[in-house]
Amino acid sequence: MGQQGVHIEPAEGKLGVLLVGLGAVSTTFIAGVEAVKRGLGKPVGSLTQMGTIRLGKRTENRVMRIQDFVSLARLEDLVFGAWDIFPDDAYEAATEANVLDRSLLDQLRPDLEAIRPMKGVFDPNYVKRLHGTYVKQGAGKWDLARQLIEEIEGFQREHGVDRSVMVWCGSTEMHTVASGVHESLAAFEAGLKASDAAIPSSMVYAYAALSLGIPFANGAPNLTLDVPALRELAEKQRVPICGKDFKTGQTLMKTILAPGLKARMLGLQGWFSTNILGNRDGEVLDDPDCFKTKEVSKLSVLEHILQPHLYPDLYEGFHHQVRINYYPPRGDNKEGWDALDIFGWLGYPMQIKIDFLCRDSILAAPLVLDLALFLDLARRAGMHGIQEWLSFYFKSPMTLPQLYPEHDLFIQQMKLKNTLRYLRGEEQITHLGLDYYVED
């Protein structure tokens, strides 16, 4: 071993997984966990459940499953809680989402029906295409935050939960930028008490969670944690945070393919991307203000991977365009088309076409599981603030303000696994390999 390792509190007792939004992603995640526990399916797509990690030299043949290498909460110890702006229980919401087969949902029905959402905090000015019928009422945003805190504490008492994590699985809010109310925790709390219009619902949830020492992951492209005030609160309470925007379909493909183009020094003239989807996410993104939030998240990926300022002959001025079209007949079955104009030796042009027929919530559900388990691990290991090692799961990874985000999926995976090695006192793996060939 190359180091001492980090003390990690044991993953004993129940872990509350608090979900903001009980729609397609959350119900697919919950039903999936219940199905895996009953042997009705495999947790495909989950690094914590199916992934392995190599330790030491290749000649040692030391490979462990990640869930055996680090102390993670067991699926049997997860307890689910949720908020939503519609009153449907998890079974009704999953049936409406129509992601999983009805025959599977019926086998899980009693457990899903037992999960009823709490009334959601909802500001229609930020999500104009949804009209919630199950919404909290309060004297203002400070009062709503206090209601959330009381509900979380009540949930933990009622279910005998020892610790919790919160994951935003709700809708994309309209595009916003940080303002004065976000600059410090004191200004933010004053803004809550004044019901400042610049504080969206996602920030109210994040404030409630962080105030109680509960880790928070942002699965949408919303501003949420990307403000000094909430980062200050996370540091003050010594809570891990991460986000934003789950990396599932088209952007996942970009973070796989773009590093390959760059590795081979192949040029890019343009990358056109368009999507069709018909779930609630598609309906929300049909609003131009909400689409702007998603567009910013999607457009940032290629710029950071390809680094045109370092490779102007290959990538300077490349055209990147993203479109999302709401098409109800497809439901949760999203289709993404990509057309790439690339060039190679002596500038000769070539093309790549991608047609990815994916299931959005099927790709997102294992991310929710991994983030819940890894954030809980981070909390028990005394890690706090931005968890850049969890960038692997996001379109727009959080970093310190002075750092650029790392979008290359393979670098992100190395960062994640090396963090796990660090926690357990194992040597970092650089893949240099010269020591196998150089004689003493």
Side-chain angles (χ1 to χ4, degrees):
M1 290 192 179
Q3 57 193 23
Q4 189 66 34
V6 172
H7 174 71
I8 303 173
E9 295 291 336
E12 296 175 349
K14 296 180 179 179
L15 174 65
V17 182
L18 300 166
L19 304 165
V20 184
L22 192 60
V25 171
S26 290
T27 56
T28 303
F29 158 64
I30 294 170
V33 170
E34 296 299 333
V36 170
K37 285 162 55 178
R38 289 163 176 73
L40 300 175
K42 298 287 187 181
V44 178
S46 168
L47 195 63
T48 61
Q49 305 303 300
M50 304 194 79
T52 63
I53 184 166
R54 190 193 110 201
L55 307 173
K57 298 182 180 300
R58 279 181 282 165
T59 51
E60 297 176 26
N61 293 317
R62 294 172 59 216
V63 178
M64 293 183 67
R65 296 202 322 164
I66 287 174
Q67 63 178 337
D68 296 327
F69 178 60
V70 289
S71 172
L72 298 176
R74 304 181 310 147
L75 299 188
E76 292 76 13
D77 292 331
L78 303 186
V79 181
F80 305 110
W83 293 268
D84 204 276
I85 60 173
F86 300 103
D88 297 348
D89 62 43
Y91 176 79
E92 294 168 328
T95 302
E96 176 67 23
N98 197 30
V99 177
L100 301 175
D101 293 339
R102 182 67 174 267
S103 59
L104 175 61
L105 295 176
D106 286 343
Q107 294 180 73
L108 308 170
R109 184 166 185 167
D111 290 313
L112 296 179
E113 286 182 333
I115 301 170
R116 304 197 63 87
M118 296 168 274
K119 287 184 177 181
V121 174
F122 181 64
D123 185 343
N125 293 313
Y126 280 87
V127 187
K128 297 174 183 176
R129 295 296 169 94
L130 296 185
H131 306 284
T133 61
Y134 195 63
V135 177
K136 273 185 173 48
Q137 302 299 317
K141 294 181 180 180
W142 177 259
D143 182 40
L144 293 173
R146 301 314 303 175
Q147 288 184 45
L148 288 176
I149 289 171
E150 291 173 5
E151 284 178 332
I152 294 168
E153 292 175 329
F155 169 84
Q156 294 183 137
R157 284 194 304 270
E158 179 184 350
H159 295 281
V161 167
D162 297 272
R163 45 193 208 286
S164 295
V165 296
M166 185 182 290
V167 183
W168 177 277
C169 298
S171 297
T172 298
E173 296 170 329
M174 75 174 206
H175 182 64
T176 55
V177 295
S179 61
V181 74
H182 305 123
E183 285 303 309
S184 69
L185 181 57
F188 186 84
E189 290 181 336
L192 283 175
K193 292 173 181 175
S195 291
D196 195 299
I199 299 178
S201 301
S202 63
M203 290 187 185
V204 180
Y205 279 100
Y207 175 82
L210 299 179
S211 295
L212 292 174
I214 293 173
F216 187 98
N218 177 19
N222 308 332
L223 185 64
T224 315
L225 297 169
D226 286 343
V227 296
L230 291 178
R231 292 198 299 269
E232 179 185 340
L233 180 57
E235 290 292 342
K236 176 183 176 182
Q237 299 294 89
R238 300 188 68 79
V239 186
I241 56 175
C242 62
K244 59 188 181 181
D245 204 3
F246 296 139
K247 182 158 54 185
T248 51
Q250 194 168 61
T251 306
L252 174 62
M253 292 296 103
K254 288 180 178 178
T255 61
I256 293 172
L257 188 55
L261 296 176
K262 181 182 174 184
R264 288 294 305 270
M265 291 288 104
L266 294 173
L268 179 71
Q269 291 179 315
W271 194 314
F272 176 79
S273 302
T274 189
N275 299 262
I276 56 172
L277 74 162
N279 58 13
R280 189 181 296 171
D281 192 33
E283 183 178 6
V284 168
L285 293 174
D286 206 35
D287 173 59
D289 290 334
C290 291
F291 171 71
K292 178 66 174 177
T293 309
K294 178 70 76 171
E295 183 182 33
V296 170
S297 174
K298 283 175 165 283
L299 286 175
S300 65
V301 172
L302 293 181
E303 193 77 22
H304 285 294
I305 292 176
L306 298 176
Q307 298 176 298
H309 63 291
L310 297 179
Y311 306 97
D313 290 339
L314 299 175
Y315 307 120
E316 189 173 62
F318 74 86
H319 184 76
H320 187 197
Q321 191 167 331
V322 176
R323 292 287 180 266
I324 299 177
N325 300 286
Y326 179 46
Y327 183 60
R330 283 298 175 92
D332 198 67
N333 295 330
K334 181 166 68 176
E335 185 164 5
W337 293 282
D338 288 84
L340 289 69
D341 287 283
I342 67 173
F343 58 92
W345 187 246
L346 304 181
Y348 275 72
M350 297 174 282
Q351 295 183 358
I352 299 175
K353 310 290 185 187
I354 305 170
D355 185 7
F356 188 18
L357 290 84
C358 65
R359 296 173 179 262
D360 212 34
S361 297
I362 293 294
L363 292 169
L367 308 191
V368 179
L369 175 60
D370 284 359
L371 286 166
L373 298 186
F374 279 144
L375 276 177
D376 177 55
L377 170 67
R379 184 78 166 95
R380 289 182 286 108
M383 303 170 77
H384 58 276
I386 295 169
Q387 304 298 299
E388 192 182 344
W389 63 285
L390 296 177
S391 297
F392 182 73
Y393 296 103
F394 298 104
K395 292 187 185 75
S396 298
M398 290 184 69
T399 67
L400 291 173
Q402 65 268 30
L403 300 177
Y404 67 84
E406 184 57 72
H407 282 280
D408 183 319
L409 185 73
F410 307 101
I411 294 176
Q412 290 175 336
Q413 184 193 45
M414 186 182 295
K415 185 188 295 285
L416 188 155
K417 290 191 174 183
N418 271 338
T419 301
L420 298 180
R421 293 183 184 105
Y422 165 80
L423 291 175
R424 297 287 288 127
E426 291 282 346
E427 291 183 7
Q428 309 297 294
I429 291 182
T430 64
H431 300 283
L432 178 62
L434 284 178
D435 52 334
Y436 299 115
Y437 301 96
V438 177
E439 295 182 4
D440 293 334

